[in-house]
C-alpha cells in the first residue's frame, strides 16, 4: 500500500459476505494483547467492498499503522445484529 510517501507494509484482513445480509454490521478490530481491541478507524481502515458478482461481496481492511508497530498484532471481525 502506498499512502503517498512510498510503499508501506500493512496487515490485511479480507472477508467474503452475502450481500442479502444487510442487517448485519461488521467491524474489523485489531489488538496486540488479545484484550484491548480497537476498531475502525483507529485500529483498522476499511479499504473497500468489492462485488463478487454472485450475491456476495469481499470486504477488505488494512491496519491503521504499518506492520511492526506493535511487534505483534491480532485481527478479527466483530459482527452485530439488531
Amino acid at each position: 500500500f502506498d499512502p503517498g510517501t512510498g510503499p508501506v507494509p500493512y496487515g490485511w484482513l479480507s472477508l467474503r459476505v452475502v450481500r442479502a445480509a444487510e442487517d448485519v454490521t461488521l467491524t474489523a478490530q485489531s489488538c496486540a494483547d488479545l484484550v484491548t481491541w480497537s476498531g475502525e478507524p483507529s485500529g483498522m481502515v476499511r479499504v473497500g467492498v468489492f462485488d463478487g458478482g454472485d450475491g456476495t461481496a469481499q470486504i477488505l481492511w488494512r491496519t491503521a499503522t504499518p506492520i511492526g508497530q506493535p511487534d505483534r498484532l491480532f485481527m478479527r471481525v466483530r459482527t452485530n445484529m439488531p
Side-chain angles (χ1 to χ4, degrees):
F1 183 75
D2 188 344
T5 58
V8 179
Y10 287 92
W12 294 89
L13 179 62
S14 175
L15 180 69
R16 180 175 224 141
V17 297
V18 175
R19 283 197 171 269
E22 296 174 353
D23 58 339
V24 177
T25 303
L26 302 171
T27 306
Q29 298 179 322
S30 64
C31 78
D33 59 9
L34 292 176
V35 176
T36 311
W37 292 92
S38 179
E40 300 170 44
S42 62
M44 301 292 289
V45 176
R46 186 179 291 213
V47 175
V49 178
F50 306 95
D51 188 357
D54 59 356
T56 66
Q58 195 80 16
I59 304 174
L60 183 63
W61 294 271
R62 70 164 174 82
T63 56
T65 57
I67 294 174
Q69 302 169 8
D71 293 335
R72 178 177 18 190
L73 188 69
F74 301 94
M75 295 181 276
R76 71 179 183 186
V77 175
R78 183 176 184 157
T79 60
N80 291 308
M81 293 183 2

